[in-house]
Amino acid sequence: MPSPHQFTLQAPDPAWEQARDARLAAFVRSRLAHADATGCTDERRWVAGLGEVFAEWDEKRELAARTDNDLFSVQVSALGWALRCIAHSTWRGAPGWEPAFHPQASALQTLPETHA
C-alpha cells in the first residue's frame, strides 16, 4: 500500500518558464521605468539597486536556457526567483502583474492572488 506521504517531483516546463520570464522582464522593465520617472528620491534609489539585479538576470536568462551548465542555470534561476519574490511583494496588483509571476507559480498551477 502506498504511503499517504508520497509525492512526485515534476520537472518544470522550460517553455512555460521561458515565456513567463520574458513577460516578467517586460513587466519589471516597465515598473522600473515608471518608478524612475515618477518616484521620490528614495524610491528611485531603491529601484536602481533592484535594476542591477534585474539587469544581471535579464542578460543571463536566455543564455541559461541554451546552456548545459547546470550550475549557471541554477544561479540564473535563483536570481529569477529572488526577483519574483521582490516583484510580488512590491508590485502585485500593479498594471501588468500576472499570477504566473508569483514565486511559487508553476505551469501546472498558477496561484490566485489574494490582496489582504
Side-chain angles (χ1 to χ4, degrees):
M1 179 168 153
S3 166
H5 302 291
Q6 286 183 326
F7 60 93
T8 304
L9 291 177
Q10 297 188 8
D13 178 356
W16 181 85
E17 287 182 341
Q18 290 171 9
R20 177 212 50 210
D21 289 350
R23 294 189 317 273
L24 178 65
F27 173 79
V28 171
R29 202 173 286 114
S30 73
R31 298 312 308 164
L32 292 174
H34 180 265
D36 189 48
T38 63
C40 65
T41 302
D42 287 340
E43 185 178 18
R44 286 195 309 269
R45 194 175 306 134
W46 180 83
V47 297
L50 178 62
E52 291 175 15
V53 173
F54 170 71
E56 182 176 349
W57 171 78
D58 195 38
E59 178 184 327
K60 294 178 178 177
R61 68 185 172 84
E62 290 184 17
L63 178 61
R66 296 188 305 264
T67 187
D68 290 332
N69 184 328
D70 289 340
L71 179 60
F72 180 70
S73 295
V74 167
Q75 289 171 339
V76 173
S77 179
L79 276 173
W81 179 81
L83 189 62
R84 289 192 309 278
C85 287
I86 295 166
H88 178 261
S89 67
T90 306
W91 293 314
R92 73 177 174 264
W97 175 261
E98 296 181 23
F101 299 159
H102 190 287
Q104 295 177 354
S106 70
L108 301 174
Q109 172 190 18
T110 299
L111 301 174
E113 290 296 318
T114 57
H115 300 282

